[in-house]
Amino acid sequence: MNISQAAHNSGLSSKALRHYEAIGLVVPARGPNGYRKYTMGDVETLRFIQRARVNGFSIGEIRALLELRDNPGRRSRETKQLVSEKLSQLEEKLRQLLEMRTTLQAFEESCAGNDSPQCAILDQLSGQAPG
């Protein structure tokens, strides 16, 4: 199938397919005319990549997951370790986001939000006590 058909079947854009080819995640065959020829296996790989991206995996992590997927001698603990590391990263990001939310809520509560030039938010960001 050609690139537009593969894009349609994988749910990705043609641009994404070209990008994934450029970085070596998928390597479609080339016909005599030089056009890309995708197989159903390529489409499955593209769907795998898409699902991994939706779940927050980086290109490097996806590369590792694809290597594990394609290795019949793999150990599931390797895949689980990769996912556990990703989960730890996500939990840290969540912790940071919750901390940011708490700070922003405190900023919002400290601001009178009126026509005065005095702004407790700007004072706090400047390192000054609200006043």
Side-chain angles (χ1 to χ4, degrees):
M1 71 186 80
N2 66 30
I3 192 167
S4 63
Q5 293 165 324
H8 175 76
N9 288 333
S10 66
L12 295 166
S13 68
S14 295
K15 182 178 179 181
L17 271 62
R18 285 189 290 275
H19 173 68
Y20 293 143
E21 178 185 3
I23 62 174
L25 289 182
V26 67
V27 183
R30 295 277 182 162
N33 57 6
Y35 292 164
R36 294 168 181 87
K37 292 175 65 176
Y38 290 87
T39 65
M40 282 308 296
D42 294 329
V43 170
E44 285 304 314
T45 296
L46 291 164
R47 288 178 183 157
F48 182 99
I49 294 167
Q50 181 188 37
R51 287 189 293 270
R53 291 295 286 167
V54 165
N55 284 288
F57 288 100
S58 69
I59 295 298
E61 292 163 336
I62 292 171
R63 192 176 310 280
L65 287 167
L66 285 169
E67 287 172 9
L68 287 165
R69 182 198 69 172
D70 296 339
N71 178 0
R74 70 181 172 263
R75 295 183 190 105
S76 65
R77 84 179 68 136
E78 296 172 58
T79 308
K80 184 173 183 173
Q81 179 63 36
L82 200 149
V83 170
S84 294
E85 290 170 10
K86 191 59 164 179
L87 185 57
S88 293
Q89 292 170 6
L90 179 61
E91 288 171 349
E92 176 59 19
K93 281 184 184 180
L94 283 170
R95 187 196 62 73
Q96 291 172 355
L97 287 170
L98 290 170
E99 189 176 297
M100 282 175 30
R101 181 178 73 178
T102 299
T103 301
L104 291 172
Q105 286 171 332
F107 283 173
E108 182 182 45
E109 290 171 9
S110 71
C111 181
N114 56 22
D115 292 332
S116 168
Q118 176 58 37
C119 181
I121 297 170
L122 296 176
D123 290 346
Q124 290 175 69
L125 289 171
S126 297
Q128 302 170 8

